[in-house]
Amino acid sequence: VKWPRCSLLLMQFLIVATCAAMFKGGALNTDFDAFLRANSGSSLRYDAFTNAWGTYHKPTSDIGRRLAQPEDHLGRRLAASKWRKSMFQIAYYKEGGNLLEEQNLYAILKFEQKLQAGKSWSHFCSLEVAGVEVEEGSEETQQGSCSPGESFVNYVWPSYSNAEAAGVSVGPGERQQLHIDGKGSLRLPVQAVLTALQKQDDIHDRIARFFPEDFEVKEGVATPWTDTIQSRFLFSASYGDGGFFGKSSEANGALEEFQTTDLHAALTERDETLEELGIRVFYSSAQLGDADIFD
């Protein structure tokens, strides 16, 4: 029996999404006064860091300081044994509007991709700075926790490729592999994405990470509604033996300088598309503090 292409894509997404976990669940408060006062505390950064680095290795209980294995699960050598980490969050808010409409999600996608394309972002998000050795000629150069980061739009626009040794079987001799990276040209239906995230058998609650506490996934609703979406980006800088920086203070100072100078400038640069759509942008991090960019 031949399935429609949409059904095949949905089947792929449901399976692959269960393996795409990077962060531990949490909830977004719709009280933006509280959001602006809140600080990206150590427990939140610790949880995000723990799960983000699960992409590269299975850490010991001393997360971010020492590794038990010299290689990650992909066989890449981990040159460093200690890290400093820095995470910041971006929240998008559209008063009286639905951010899950395609034009709004696409504007958010392009805004985040513009940030990630910056020279300083690319440098501090590199595997080199994280102390992960990459084979010469490899196209993989960035830490997944900050490029593409933890963002709902990456699930809506996943890229996919044919792969002989990995992926989901969609026919005799044919396999597909989805990459939750926001780089795809084919947009998956929002309702299908939300259903997949809700039903994934995982300790990580992606719905709670992206949306407000009172957000519900309702079956039969063509376009769910929310005026608030949040994304997170985590940077890891290695130091010490085999690390990119010599000392912890150097790694921490470099991350702080990056966030307070180049990143702050990029965040405060006005984005005409977001403004035309009435989408307000909030950010929060230990280095940048909390601010409403467009006020």
Side-chain angles (χ1 to χ4, degrees):
V1 179
K2 295 184 177 180
W3 290 10
R5 182 178 178 182
C6 184
S7 297
L8 290 175
L9 288 172
L10 178 57
M11 177 189 69
Q12 298 169 35
F13 185 83
L14 288 171
I15 296 175
V16 178
T18 61
C19 302
M22 290 190 303
F23 297 87
K24 189 173 181 178
L28 177 64
N29 192 340
T30 54
D31 179 355
F32 273 85
D33 287 335
F35 174 77
L36 293 177
R37 292 193 302 270
N39 185 276
S40 177
S42 59
S43 62
L44 180 59
R45 292 197 301 274
Y46 181 89
D47 289 339
F49 178 77
T50 301
N51 291 288
W53 271 98
T55 303
Y56 302 130
H57 60 82
K58 295 182 178 180
T60 65
S61 58
D62 190 10
I63 301 299
R65 295 185 179 276
R66 300 194 180 280
L67 298 177
Q69 294 85 13
E71 296 182 350
D72 68 2
H73 73 289
L74 297 178
R76 297 177 303 200
R77 180 176 176 79
L78 295 167
S81 59
K82 300 179 181 180
W83 291 265
R84 296 296 296 182
K85 52 195 179 294
S86 179
M87 187 180 74
F88 78 95
Q89 305 159 70
I90 300 178
Y92 306 92
Y93 175 69
K94 183 170 184 175
E95 185 173 3
N98 186 9
L99 285 179
L100 293 179
E101 293 177 351
E102 181 178 357
Q103 63 178 352
N104 296 325
L105 289 175
Y106 191 70
I108 291 172
L109 174 69
K110 289 304 177 182
F111 176 71
E112 293 183 355
Q113 289 180 340
K114 180 175 67 174
L115 291 177
Q116 293 168 35
K119 183 177 180 180
S120 293
W121 183 302
S122 298
H123 170 69
F124 281 97
C125 188
S126 67
L127 292 175
E128 179 184 11
V129 170
V132 177
E133 294 185 359
V134 181
E135 292 183 5
E136 186 176 353
S138 172
E139 296 182 359
E140 185 179 11
T141 61
Q142 299 289 287
Q143 305 170 36
S145 58
C146 48
S147 182
E150 182 191 15
S151 178
F152 179 71
V153 293
N154 295 331
Y155 288 82
V156 179
W157 279 279
S159 63
Y160 61 96
S161 60
N162 291 323
E164 295 181 358
V168 181
S169 177
V170 295
E174 182 181 1
R175 301 180 73 83
Q176 290 282 333
Q177 186 174 38
L178 287 180
H179 305 279
I180 311 303
D181 55 12
K183 297 180 180 179
S185 58
L186 178 64
R187 180 180 66 89
L188 293 178
V190 170
Q191 181 63 57
V193 175
L194 290 171
T195 300
L197 293 177
Q198 184 182 48
K199 293 183 177 180
Q200 65 180 7
D201 184 15
D202 199 326
I203 62 172
H204 309 291
D205 188 346
R206 210 66 72 241
I207 298 295
R209 291 289 283 175
F210 295 139
F211 302 106
E213 294 176 335
D214 58 355
F215 180 78
E216 293 183 277
V217 180
K218 299 180 180 180
E219 294 187 8
V221 178
T223 304
W225 193 95
T226 185
D227 58 8
T228 307
I229 294 178
Q230 182 168 250
S231 302
R232 291 176 172 85
F233 303 91
L234 175 72
F235 296 83
S236 301
S238 58
Y239 68 92
D241 294 340
F244 187 84
F245 296 96
K247 300 178 181 179
S248 172
S249 59
E250 294 175 356
N252 195 55
L255 286 172
E256 182 172 353
E257 182 179 3
F258 159 60
Q259 288 209 15
T260 56
T261 56
D262 293 349
L263 178 56
H264 183 265
L267 286 169
T268 53
E269 181 180 351
R270 306 186 81 84
D271 186 280
E272 294 182 1
T273 303
L274 290 177
E275 290 189 286
E276 288 175 359
L277 292 171
I279 301 174
R280 298 174 66 187
V281 181
F282 300 77
Y283 64 77
S284 176
S285 81
Q287 285 76 18
L288 292 176
D290 308 302
D292 178 354
I293 291 176
F294 293 151
D295 266 2

